[in-house]
Amino acid sequence: MTKKWLLLGMLVAAAPAQAATVIKLGHGANENFHMSRAMVEFERLVEEGSGGDIDVQIFPSSQMGPDRTMIEGVQTGILEMAVSPSSFFTNWDPAFGVVELAYIYPDKATALDVLDGPEGDAMLERLDRLGLKGLGWVESGMRHITNNVRPIESPEDLEGIKLRTMKVPAHVDTFKALGANPTPMNFGEVYSALQQGVIDGQENPLSLIDTQRFHEVQDYLTLSSHIFTVYTPVISKAFFEALPTEQQQLIQQSMNQAMAFDRKLVAEEDAQHLAIIQEQGVQVSELSSEQNDAFAAIAEEVNAQYRERIGADVFDGWMAAIDSAATQ
C-alpha cells in the first residue's frame, strides 16, 4: 500500500503544471523600436501581475505577416493580439481614416489629448463590431520625409519622387496632390526597395527611420511632421470577454502602463534618433512656418474630400475636438 501511494505521488509530482493562458501578440516593428519595447513591458506586467497564469508571446518584425493579416488573425483566432497602425482599420471602418489625416494637429500634445479623450474612446468602441477590443493608442510619432533625389522644402520639390507610403488612401491622395508618386508597400519591404532604387524615398517617424536603418540608404531628411501616427493595440473580443474579470482589468491596466512607457521613450529619444541620422551623413531640412503652410494648404483640400467617406459626424467631431484641445 505504501509503495502504491508513493508511486501515485511521484506520478502527480511529475505531471506538468496546468498550462497558462497564452496571448500571442504580433506587430511589424523590430525589437529596437520604442513600441516593441513597450510591448515587452506589457508582457512583463501581465505575466508578473497574473502570477504566471498568463503567458504573453510576442512576435515582432511581421513574423505573423503584414498588418492586415495580423488584424485578420485576431479576428479569426490565429492571434490573440495585434498592434498595428490605426490607419489599417480603415479597411473595415472608414471612420478610422480621420485619426491620421495630414496636417490636422498643430502639435503632438494636441493629438494625444484628442486620442485620450471622448472622441478617441468612441473611436476605439467602434472596433467592438469587428470582433476586436481596442486597448488604447500607442504613440508612433510625427512622420517625416526621406529621399535620395533632393532636399524637400516645398511641394514642388516632391515632383516625380517615388515615395513609399502606407496603404492608406488618404495618405496616397495627399502625396499625389503634393506632386509625389506615392507607392504603397508593406513595411517589411521598404529597406530593400530603397537599397535597390525601386523607390526614391519613404515617410516615417524619426524612431523608425533610425531603428530600421533607413538612414543607410537615404540622403535627405525633411522634418515635415506631416502626419501624427499611432498604433492601436487590439485583442480578440471573444477571447478577452472569456477571461476572468481580474485578468481583463490586468490586461487593460498593463497596456495603459505600457502606453505611458512608450510615450516616455519617444520624448526621451527623438533627439537622439535625429542625431544618429545626421551622423550617418543624411542632410536634414527644417521647414519654416511659411514652408510648412504651403504643404498644409494642399493637404487641407484633400482632407475635405474625405469628410463624407469618413462620415461627416465623425469628421466634424474630431476636428472640433482638435480645436478644443489646441485652445486649452
PDB file of all heavy atoms in Angstrom, residues 252-288:
ATOM      1  N   GLN A 252      -5.830  45.497 -19.373  1.00  0.00           N
ATOM      2  CA  GLN A 252      -6.041  46.909 -19.693  1.00  0.00           C
ATOM      3  C   GLN A 252      -5.082  47.800 -18.911  1.00  0.00           C
ATOM      4  O   GLN A 252      -4.481  48.732 -19.470  1.00  0.00           O
ATOM      5  CB  GLN A 252      -7.489  47.310 -19.413  1.00  0.00           C
ATOM      6  CG  GLN A 252      -7.815  48.752 -19.793  1.00  0.00           C
ATOM      7  CD  GLN A 252      -7.686  49.015 -21.281  1.00  0.00           C
ATOM      8  OE1 GLN A 252      -8.508  48.573 -22.074  1.00  0.00           O
ATOM      9  NE2 GLN A 252      -6.641  49.738 -21.688  1.00  0.00           N
ATOM     10  N   GLN A 253      -4.925  47.543 -17.617  1.00  0.00           N
ATOM     11  CA  GLN A 253      -4.024  48.353 -16.800  1.00  0.00           C
ATOM     12  C   GLN A 253      -2.578  48.228 -17.285  1.00  0.00           C
ATOM     13  O   GLN A 253      -1.844  49.225 -17.327  1.00  0.00           O
ATOM     14  CB  GLN A 253      -4.130  47.933 -15.336  1.00  0.00           C
ATOM     15  CG  GLN A 253      -5.457  48.308 -14.686  1.00  0.00           C
ATOM     16  CD  GLN A 253      -5.686  47.607 -13.351  1.00  0.00           C
ATOM     17  OE1 GLN A 253      -4.839  46.831 -12.886  1.00  0.00           O
ATOM     18  NE2 GLN A 253      -6.829  47.875 -12.739  1.00  0.00           N
ATOM     19  N   SER A 254      -2.188  47.021 -17.666  1.00  0.00           N
ATOM     20  CA  SER A 254      -0.823  46.801 -18.154  1.00  0.00           C
ATOM     21  C   SER A 254      -0.595  47.534 -19.463  1.00  0.00           C
ATOM     22  O   SER A 254       0.485  48.104 -19.697  1.00  0.00           O
ATOM     23  CB  SER A 254      -0.554  45.302 -18.327  1.00  0.00           C
ATOM     24  OG  SER A 254      -0.654  44.622 -17.098  1.00  0.00           O
ATOM     25  N   MET A 255      -1.602  47.543 -20.338  1.00  0.00           N
ATOM     26  CA  MET A 255      -1.458  48.273 -21.591  1.00  0.00           C
ATOM     27  C   MET A 255      -1.397  49.772 -21.336  1.00  0.00           C
ATOM     28  O   MET A 255      -0.623  50.496 -21.988  1.00  0.00           O
ATOM     29  CB  MET A 255      -2.600  47.933 -22.553  1.00  0.00           C
ATOM     30  CG  MET A 255      -2.450  48.591 -23.929  1.00  0.00           C
ATOM     31  SD  MET A 255      -0.888  48.204 -24.787  1.00  0.00           S
ATOM     32  CE  MET A 255      -1.210  46.490 -25.259  1.00  0.00           C
ATOM     33  N   ASN A 256      -2.192  50.273 -20.386  1.00  0.00           N
ATOM     34  CA  ASN A 256      -2.126  51.696 -20.044  1.00  0.00           C
ATOM     35  C   ASN A 256      -0.708  52.080 -19.601  1.00  0.00           C
ATOM     36  O   ASN A 256      -0.178  53.122 -20.008  1.00  0.00           O
ATOM     37  CB  ASN A 256      -3.120  52.031 -18.928  1.00  0.00           C
ATOM     38  CG  ASN A 256      -4.567  51.933 -19.379  1.00  0.00           C
ATOM     39  OD1 ASN A 256      -4.860  51.886 -20.571  1.00  0.00           O
ATOM     40  ND2 ASN A 256      -5.487  51.890 -18.426  1.00  0.00           N
ATOM     41  N   GLN A 257      -0.103  51.233 -18.780  1.00  0.00           N
ATOM     42  CA  GLN A 257       1.256  51.496 -18.317  1.00  0.00           C
ATOM     43  C   GLN A 257       2.261  51.378 -19.459  1.00  0.00           C
ATOM     44  O   GLN A 257       3.217  52.154 -19.541  1.00  0.00           O
ATOM     45  CB  GLN A 257       1.618  50.529 -17.186  1.00  0.00           C
ATOM     46  CG  GLN A 257       0.870  50.785 -15.891  1.00  0.00           C
ATOM     47  CD  GLN A 257       1.187  49.752 -14.827  1.00  0.00           C
ATOM     48  OE1 GLN A 257       0.412  48.838 -14.550  1.00  0.00           O
ATOM     49  NE2 GLN A 257       2.358  49.879 -14.224  1.00  0.00           N
ATOM     50  N   ALA A 258       2.054  50.420 -20.339  1.00  0.00           N
ATOM     51  CA  ALA A 258       2.955  50.251 -21.485  1.00  0.00           C
ATOM     52  C   ALA A 258       2.868  51.447 -22.432  1.00  0.00           C
ATOM     53  O   ALA A 258       3.882  51.880 -22.993  1.00  0.00           O
ATOM     54  CB  ALA A 258       2.629  48.954 -22.221  1.00  0.00           C
ATOM     55  N   MET A 259       1.660  51.999 -22.611  1.00  0.00           N
ATOM     56  CA  MET A 259       1.496  53.173 -23.473  1.00  0.00           C
ATOM     57  C   MET A 259       2.217  54.380 -22.870  1.00  0.00           C
ATOM     58  O   MET A 259       2.853  55.157 -23.597  1.00  0.00           O
ATOM     59  CB  MET A 259       0.005  53.469 -23.677  1.00  0.00           C
ATOM     60  CG  MET A 259      -0.697  52.442 -24.554  1.00  0.00           C
ATOM     61  SD  MET A 259      -2.399  52.888 -24.987  1.00  0.00           S
ATOM     62  CE  MET A 259      -3.209  52.810 -23.391  1.00  0.00           C
ATOM     63  N   ALA A 260       2.127  54.535 -21.558  1.00  0.00           N
ATOM     64  CA  ALA A 260       2.833  55.636 -20.898  1.00  0.00           C
ATOM     65  C   ALA A 260       4.348  55.447 -21.025  1.00  0.00           C
ATOM     66  O   ALA A 260       5.091  56.418 -21.247  1.00  0.00           O
ATOM     67  CB  ALA A 260       2.428  55.708 -19.428  1.00  0.00           C
ATOM     68  N   PHE A 261       4.797  54.219 -20.911  1.00  0.00           N
ATOM     69  CA  PHE A 261       6.218  53.893 -21.075  1.00  0.00           C
ATOM     70  C   PHE A 261       6.682  54.244 -22.483  1.00  0.00           C
ATOM     71  O   PHE A 261       7.747  54.836 -22.687  1.00  0.00           O
ATOM     72  CB  PHE A 261       6.421  52.399 -20.778  1.00  0.00           C
ATOM     73  CG  PHE A 261       7.828  51.916 -20.937  1.00  0.00           C
ATOM     74  CD1 PHE A 261       8.814  52.274 -20.028  1.00  0.00           C
ATOM     75  CD2 PHE A 261       8.177  51.074 -21.983  1.00  0.00           C
ATOM     76  CE1 PHE A 261      10.113  51.810 -20.168  1.00  0.00           C
ATOM     77  CE2 PHE A 261       9.468  50.598 -22.135  1.00  0.00           C
ATOM     78  CZ  PHE A 261      10.445  50.976 -21.218  1.00  0.00           C
ATOM     79  N   ASP A 262       5.863  53.913 -23.483  1.00  0.00           N
ATOM     80  CA  ASP A 262       6.181  54.203 -24.873  1.00  0.00           C
ATOM     81  C   ASP A 262       6.320  55.709 -25.099  1.00  0.00           C
ATOM     82  O   ASP A 262       7.271  56.176 -25.743  1.00  0.00           O
ATOM     83  CB  ASP A 262       5.084  53.637 -25.773  1.00  0.00           C
ATOM     84  CG  ASP A 262       5.242  54.047 -27.227  1.00  0.00           C
ATOM     85  OD1 ASP A 262       6.043  53.425 -27.940  1.00  0.00           O
ATOM     86  OD2 ASP A 262       4.564  55.007 -27.644  1.00  0.00           O
ATOM     87  N   ARG A 263       5.377  56.477 -24.586  1.00  0.00           N
ATOM     88  CA  ARG A 263       5.419  57.926 -24.780  1.00  0.00           C
ATOM     89  C   ARG A 263       6.642  58.539 -24.107  1.00  0.00           C
ATOM     90  O   ARG A 263       7.233  59.497 -24.617  1.00  0.00           O
ATOM     91  CB  ARG A 263       4.123  58.554 -24.272  1.00  0.00           C
ATOM     92  CG  ARG A 263       2.906  58.132 -25.081  1.00  0.00           C
ATOM     93  CD  ARG A 263       1.612  58.729 -24.568  1.00  0.00           C
ATOM     94  NE  ARG A 263       0.461  58.144 -25.240  1.00  0.00           N
ATOM     95  CZ  ARG A 263      -0.791  58.507 -25.038  1.00  0.00           C
ATOM     96  NH1 ARG A 263      -1.074  59.476 -24.155  1.00  0.00           N
ATOM     97  NH2 ARG A 263      -1.789  57.912 -25.684  1.00  0.00           N
ATOM     98  N   LYS A 264       7.031  57.984 -22.984  1.00  0.00           N
ATOM     99  CA  LYS A 264       8.239  58.448 -22.288  1.00  0.00           C
ATOM    100  C   LYS A 264       9.472  58.180 -23.145  1.00  0.00           C
ATOM    101  O   LYS A 264      10.354  59.034 -23.275  1.00  0.00           O
ATOM    102  CB  LYS A 264       8.344  57.745 -20.939  1.00  0.00           C
ATOM    103  CG  LYS A 264       9.539  58.146 -20.086  1.00  0.00           C
ATOM    104  CD  LYS A 264       9.422  57.527 -18.703  1.00  0.00           C
ATOM    105  CE  LYS A 264      10.614  57.891 -17.818  1.00  0.00           C
ATOM    106  NZ  LYS A 264      11.850  57.205 -18.213  1.00  0.00           N
ATOM    107  N   LEU A 265       9.529  57.003 -23.756  1.00  0.00           N
ATOM    108  CA  LEU A 265      10.660  56.665 -24.619  1.00  0.00           C
ATOM    109  C   LEU A 265      10.754  57.625 -25.802  1.00  0.00           C
ATOM    110  O   LEU A 265      11.837  58.097 -26.153  1.00  0.00           O
ATOM    111  CB  LEU A 265      10.534  55.229 -25.137  1.00  0.00           C
ATOM    112  CG  LEU A 265      10.734  54.100 -24.129  1.00  0.00           C
ATOM    113  CD1 LEU A 265      10.468  52.750 -24.799  1.00  0.00           C
ATOM    114  CD2 LEU A 265      12.142  54.126 -23.549  1.00  0.00           C
ATOM    115  N   VAL A 266       9.603  57.917 -26.427  1.00  0.00           N
ATOM    116  CA  VAL A 266       9.599  58.823 -27.584  1.00  0.00           C
ATOM    117  C   VAL A 266      10.123  60.196 -27.172  1.00  0.00           C
ATOM    118  O   VAL A 266      10.968  60.790 -27.858  1.00  0.00           O
ATOM    119  CB  VAL A 266       8.188  58.951 -28.184  1.00  0.00           C
ATOM    120  CG1 VAL A 266       8.181  59.980 -29.310  1.00  0.00           C
ATOM    121  CG2 VAL A 266       7.701  57.604 -28.711  1.00  0.00           C
ATOM    122  N   ALA A 267       9.628  60.709 -26.052  1.00  0.00           N
ATOM    123  CA  ALA A 267      10.032  62.042 -25.591  1.00  0.00           C
ATOM    124  C   ALA A 267      11.522  62.099 -25.300  1.00  0.00           C
ATOM    125  O   ALA A 267      12.189  63.107 -25.579  1.00  0.00           O
ATOM    126  CB  ALA A 267       9.233  62.416 -24.339  1.00  0.00           C
ATOM    127  N   GLU A 268      12.055  61.026 -24.758  1.00  0.00           N
ATOM    128  CA  GLU A 268      13.467  60.996 -24.371  1.00  0.00           C
ATOM    129  C   GLU A 268      14.408  60.750 -25.547  1.00  0.00           C
ATOM    130  O   GLU A 268      15.552  61.213 -25.534  1.00  0.00           O
ATOM    131  CB  GLU A 268      13.698  59.897 -23.326  1.00  0.00           C
ATOM    132  CG  GLU A 268      13.058  60.169 -21.983  1.00  0.00           C
ATOM    133  CD  GLU A 268      13.190  59.001 -21.017  1.00  0.00           C
ATOM    134  OE1 GLU A 268      13.600  57.897 -21.447  1.00  0.00           O
ATOM    135  OE2 GLU A 268      12.881  59.202 -19.831  1.00  0.00           O
ATOM    136  N   GLU A 269      13.926  60.058 -26.590  1.00  0.00           N
ATOM    137  CA  GLU A 269      14.852  59.537 -27.588  1.00  0.00           C
ATOM    138  C   GLU A 269      14.773  60.174 -28.967  1.00  0.00           C
ATOM    139  O   GLU A 269      15.638  59.924 -29.812  1.00  0.00           O
ATOM    140  CB  GLU A 269      14.657  58.020 -27.716  1.00  0.00           C
ATOM    141  CG  GLU A 269      14.988  57.280 -26.433  1.00  0.00           C
ATOM    142  CD  GLU A 269      14.752  55.772 -26.531  1.00  0.00           C
ATOM    143  OE1 GLU A 269      14.338  55.303 -27.605  1.00  0.00           O
ATOM    144  OE2 GLU A 269      14.988  55.079 -25.526  1.00  0.00           O
ATOM    145  N   ASP A 270      13.771  61.012 -29.248  1.00  0.00           N
ATOM    146  CA  ASP A 270      13.645  61.583 -30.590  1.00  0.00           C
ATOM    147  C   ASP A 270      14.885  62.373 -31.006  1.00  0.00           C
ATOM    148  O   ASP A 270      15.366  62.252 -32.143  1.00  0.00           O
ATOM    149  CB  ASP A 270      12.395  62.465 -30.690  1.00  0.00           C
ATOM    150  CG  ASP A 270      11.316  61.825 -31.555  1.00  0.00           C
ATOM    151  OD1 ASP A 270      11.465  60.639 -31.924  1.00  0.00           O
ATOM    152  OD2 ASP A 270      10.319  62.497 -31.865  1.00  0.00           O
ATOM    153  N   ALA A 271      15.406  63.197 -30.099  1.00  0.00           N
ATOM    154  CA  ALA A 271      16.598  63.987 -30.420  1.00  0.00           C
ATOM    155  C   ALA A 271      17.795  63.078 -30.698  1.00  0.00           C
ATOM    156  O   ALA A 271      18.618  63.346 -31.585  1.00  0.00           O
ATOM    157  CB  ALA A 271      16.918  64.952 -29.283  1.00  0.00           C
ATOM    158  N   GLN A 272      17.869  61.994 -29.961  1.00  0.00           N
ATOM    159  CA  GLN A 272      18.954  61.028 -30.154  1.00  0.00           C
ATOM    160  C   GLN A 272      18.844  60.365 -31.530  1.00  0.00           C
ATOM    161  O   GLN A 272      19.846  60.188 -32.229  1.00  0.00           O
ATOM    162  CB  GLN A 272      18.892  59.974 -29.047  1.00  0.00           C
ATOM    163  CG  GLN A 272      19.952  58.894 -29.142  1.00  0.00           C
ATOM    164  CD  GLN A 272      19.795  57.853 -28.032  1.00  0.00           C
ATOM    165  OE1 GLN A 272      19.205  58.127 -26.983  1.00  0.00           O
ATOM    166  NE2 GLN A 272      20.319  56.672 -28.269  1.00  0.00           N
ATOM    167  N   HIS A 273      17.620  59.991 -31.917  1.00  0.00           N
ATOM    168  CA  HIS A 273      17.431  59.386 -33.249  1.00  0.00           C
ATOM    169  C   HIS A 273      17.866  60.359 -34.342  1.00  0.00           C
ATOM    170  O   HIS A 273      18.540  59.960 -35.300  1.00  0.00           O
ATOM    171  CB  HIS A 273      15.957  59.013 -33.448  1.00  0.00           C
ATOM    172  CG  HIS A 273      15.492  57.868 -32.612  1.00  0.00           C
ATOM    173  ND1 HIS A 273      16.122  56.638 -32.607  1.00  0.00           N
ATOM    174  CD2 HIS A 273      14.440  57.751 -31.758  1.00  0.00           C
ATOM    175  CE1 HIS A 273      15.492  55.822 -31.782  1.00  0.00           C
ATOM    176  NE2 HIS A 273      14.472  56.475 -31.260  1.00  0.00           N
ATOM    177  N   LEU A 274      17.498  61.635 -34.200  1.00  0.00           N
ATOM    178  CA  LEU A 274      17.861  62.635 -35.207  1.00  0.00           C
ATOM    179  C   LEU A 274      19.373  62.784 -35.294  1.00  0.00           C
ATOM    180  O   LEU A 274      19.940  62.881 -36.397  1.00  0.00           O
ATOM    181  CB  LEU A 274      17.205  63.978 -34.880  1.00  0.00           C
ATOM    182  CG  LEU A 274      17.511  65.127 -35.849  1.00  0.00           C
ATOM    183  CD1 LEU A 274      17.086  64.771 -37.270  1.00  0.00           C
ATOM    184  CD2 LEU A 274      16.821  66.412 -35.388  1.00  0.00           C
ATOM    185  N   ALA A 275      20.039  62.788 -34.141  1.00  0.00           N
ATOM    186  CA  ALA A 275      21.494  62.923 -34.128  1.00  0.00           C
ATOM    187  C   ALA A 275      22.167  61.757 -34.849  1.00  0.00           C
ATOM    188  O   ALA A 275      23.126  61.942 -35.615  1.00  0.00           O
ATOM    189  CB  ALA A 275      21.994  63.018 -32.686  1.00  0.00           C
ATOM    190  N   ILE A 276      21.662  60.551 -34.634  1.00  0.00           N
ATOM    191  CA  ILE A 276      22.229  59.363 -35.292  1.00  0.00           C
ATOM    192  C   ILE A 276      22.031  59.461 -36.805  1.00  0.00           C
ATOM    193  O   ILE A 276      22.941  59.153 -37.585  1.00  0.00           O
ATOM    194  CB  ILE A 276      21.574  58.085 -34.733  1.00  0.00           C
ATOM    195  CG1 ILE A 276      22.007  57.873 -33.282  1.00  0.00           C
ATOM    196  CG2 ILE A 276      21.949  56.865 -35.590  1.00  0.00           C
ATOM    197  CD1 ILE A 276      21.258  56.760 -32.566  1.00  0.00           C
ATOM    198  N   ILE A 277      20.854  59.903 -37.224  1.00  0.00           N
ATOM    199  CA  ILE A 277      20.569  60.041 -38.661  1.00  0.00           C
ATOM    200  C   ILE A 277      21.540  61.048 -39.293  1.00  0.00           C
ATOM    201  O   ILE A 277      22.097  60.804 -40.370  1.00  0.00           O
ATOM    202  CB  ILE A 277      19.104  60.482 -38.862  1.00  0.00           C
ATOM    203  CG1 ILE A 277      18.154  59.348 -38.443  1.00  0.00           C
ATOM    204  CG2 ILE A 277      18.841  60.873 -40.320  1.00  0.00           C
ATOM    205  CD1 ILE A 277      16.702  59.792 -38.268  1.00  0.00           C
ATOM    206  N   GLN A 278      21.766  62.165 -38.605  1.00  0.00           N
ATOM    207  CA  GLN A 278      22.685  63.172 -39.120  1.00  0.00           C
ATOM    208  C   GLN A 278      24.118  62.654 -39.152  1.00  0.00           C
ATOM    209  O   GLN A 278      24.870  62.947 -40.091  1.00  0.00           O
ATOM    210  CB  GLN A 278      22.594  64.448 -38.280  1.00  0.00           C
ATOM    211  CG  GLN A 278      21.292  65.218 -38.481  1.00  0.00           C
ATOM    212  CD  GLN A 278      21.191  66.441 -37.599  1.00  0.00           C
ATOM    213  OE1 GLN A 278      21.241  66.332 -36.379  1.00  0.00           O
ATOM    214  NE2 GLN A 278      21.046  67.608 -38.200  1.00  0.00           N
ATOM    215  N   GLU A 279      24.488  61.884 -38.135  1.00  0.00           N
ATOM    216  CA  GLU A 279      25.842  61.318 -38.084  1.00  0.00           C
ATOM    217  C   GLU A 279      26.117  60.377 -39.255  1.00  0.00           C
ATOM    218  O   GLU A 279      27.268  60.188 -39.653  1.00  0.00           O
ATOM    219  CB  GLU A 279      26.051  60.564 -36.762  1.00  0.00           C
ATOM    220  CG  GLU A 279      26.208  61.466 -35.551  1.00  0.00           C
ATOM    221  CD  GLU A 279      26.096  60.705 -34.236  1.00  0.00           C
ATOM    222  OE1 GLU A 279      26.031  59.446 -34.285  1.00  0.00           O
ATOM    223  OE2 GLU A 279      26.071  61.356 -33.179  1.00  0.00           O
ATOM    224  N   GLN A 280      25.038  59.810 -39.809  1.00  0.00           N
ATOM    225  CA  GLN A 280      25.183  58.911 -40.956  1.00  0.00           C
ATOM    226  C   GLN A 280      25.333  59.688 -42.268  1.00  0.00           C
ATOM    227  O   GLN A 280      25.429  59.084 -43.336  1.00  0.00           O
ATOM    228  CB  GLN A 280      23.972  57.981 -41.045  1.00  0.00           C
ATOM    229  CG  GLN A 280      23.847  57.002 -39.888  1.00  0.00           C
ATOM    230  CD  GLN A 280      25.008  56.029 -39.825  1.00  0.00           C
ATOM    231  OE1 GLN A 280      25.395  55.463 -40.827  1.00  0.00           O
ATOM    232  NE2 GLN A 280      25.571  55.848 -38.637  1.00  0.00           N
ATOM    233  N   GLY A 281      25.364  61.009 -42.180  1.00  0.00           N
ATOM    234  CA  GLY A 281      25.583  61.829 -43.367  1.00  0.00           C
ATOM    235  C   GLY A 281      24.321  62.279 -44.077  1.00  0.00           C
ATOM    236  O   GLY A 281      24.387  62.850 -45.173  1.00  0.00           O
ATOM    237  N   VAL A 282      23.159  62.046 -43.483  1.00  0.00           N
ATOM    238  CA  VAL A 282      21.897  62.469 -44.084  1.00  0.00           C
ATOM    239  C   VAL A 282      21.744  63.980 -43.916  1.00  0.00           C
ATOM    240  O   VAL A 282      21.924  64.512 -42.819  1.00  0.00           O
ATOM    241  CB  VAL A 282      20.704  61.725 -43.444  1.00  0.00           C
ATOM    242  CG1 VAL A 282      19.382  62.234 -44.008  1.00  0.00           C
ATOM    243  CG2 VAL A 282      20.828  60.222 -43.660  1.00  0.00           C
ATOM    244  N   GLN A 283      21.413  64.666 -45.006  1.00  0.00           N
ATOM    245  CA  GLN A 283      21.194  66.114 -44.961  1.00  0.00           C
ATOM    246  C   GLN A 283      19.790  66.394 -44.456  1.00  0.00           C
ATOM    247  O   GLN A 283      18.808  65.895 -45.013  1.00  0.00           O
ATOM    248  CB  GLN A 283      21.388  66.724 -46.349  1.00  0.00           C
ATOM    249  CG  GLN A 283      21.199  68.234 -46.389  1.00  0.00           C
ATOM    250  CD  GLN A 283      21.418  68.795 -47.789  1.00  0.00           C
ATOM    251  OE1 GLN A 283      22.291  68.339 -48.513  1.00  0.00           O
ATOM    252  NE2 GLN A 283      20.613  69.785 -48.167  1.00  0.00           N
ATOM    253  N   VAL A 284      19.683  67.219 -43.393  1.00  0.00           N
ATOM    254  CA  VAL A 284      18.387  67.469 -42.745  1.00  0.00           C
ATOM    255  C   VAL A 284      17.887  68.862 -43.081  1.00  0.00           C
ATOM    256  O   VAL A 284      18.620  69.853 -42.972  1.00  0.00           O
ATOM    257  CB  VAL A 284      18.501  67.312 -41.212  1.00  0.00           C
ATOM    258  CG1 VAL A 284      17.166  67.634 -40.542  1.00  0.00           C
ATOM    259  CG2 VAL A 284      18.956  65.898 -40.863  1.00  0.00           C
ATOM    260  N   SER A 285      16.621  68.940 -43.505  1.00  0.00           N
ATOM    261  CA  SER A 285      15.968  70.221 -43.789  1.00  0.00           C
ATOM    262  C   SER A 285      14.872  70.467 -42.755  1.00  0.00           C
ATOM    263  O   SER A 285      14.027  69.606 -42.527  1.00  0.00           O
ATOM    264  CB  SER A 285      15.337  70.219 -45.181  1.00  0.00           C
ATOM    265  OG  SER A 285      16.315  70.054 -46.186  1.00  0.00           O
ATOM    266  N   GLU A 286      14.908  71.639 -42.118  1.00  0.00           N
ATOM    267  CA  GLU A 286      13.842  72.065 -41.215  1.00  0.00           C
ATOM    268  C   GLU A 286      13.013  73.120 -41.929  1.00  0.00           C
ATOM    269  O   GLU A 286      13.564  74.042 -42.526  1.00  0.00           O
ATOM    270  CB  GLU A 286      14.431  72.617 -39.915  1.00  0.00           C
ATOM    271  CG  GLU A 286      15.188  71.576 -39.098  1.00  0.00           C
ATOM    272  CD  GLU A 286      15.558  72.090 -37.718  1.00  0.00           C
ATOM    273  OE1 GLU A 286      14.682  72.708 -37.074  1.00  0.00           O
ATOM    274  OE2 GLU A 286      16.704  71.871 -37.298  1.00  0.00           O
ATOM    275  N   LEU A 287      11.704  72.999 -41.864  1.00  0.00           N
ATOM    276  CA  LEU A 287      10.818  73.894 -42.598  1.00  0.00           C
ATOM    277  C   LEU A 287      10.431  75.107 -41.756  1.00  0.00           C
ATOM    278  O   LEU A 287      10.176  74.990 -40.551  1.00  0.00           O
ATOM    279  CB  LEU A 287       9.551  73.160 -43.033  1.00  0.00           C
ATOM    280  CG  LEU A 287       9.744  71.918 -43.914  1.00  0.00           C
ATOM    281  CD1 LEU A 287       8.381  71.303 -44.255  1.00  0.00           C
ATOM    282  CD2 LEU A 287      10.509  72.255 -45.182  1.00  0.00           C
ATOM    283  N   SER A 288      10.374  76.257 -42.398  1.00  0.00           N
ATOM    284  CA  SER A 288       9.837  77.448 -41.739  1.00  0.00           C
ATOM    285  C   SER A 288       8.318  77.321 -41.665  1.00  0.00           C
ATOM    286  O   SER A 288       7.714  76.445 -42.305  1.00  0.00           O
ATOM    287  CB  SER A 288      10.213  78.695 -42.541  1.00  0.00           C
ATOM    288  OG  SER A 288       9.542  78.677 -43.795  1.00  0.00           O
TER     289      SER A 288
END
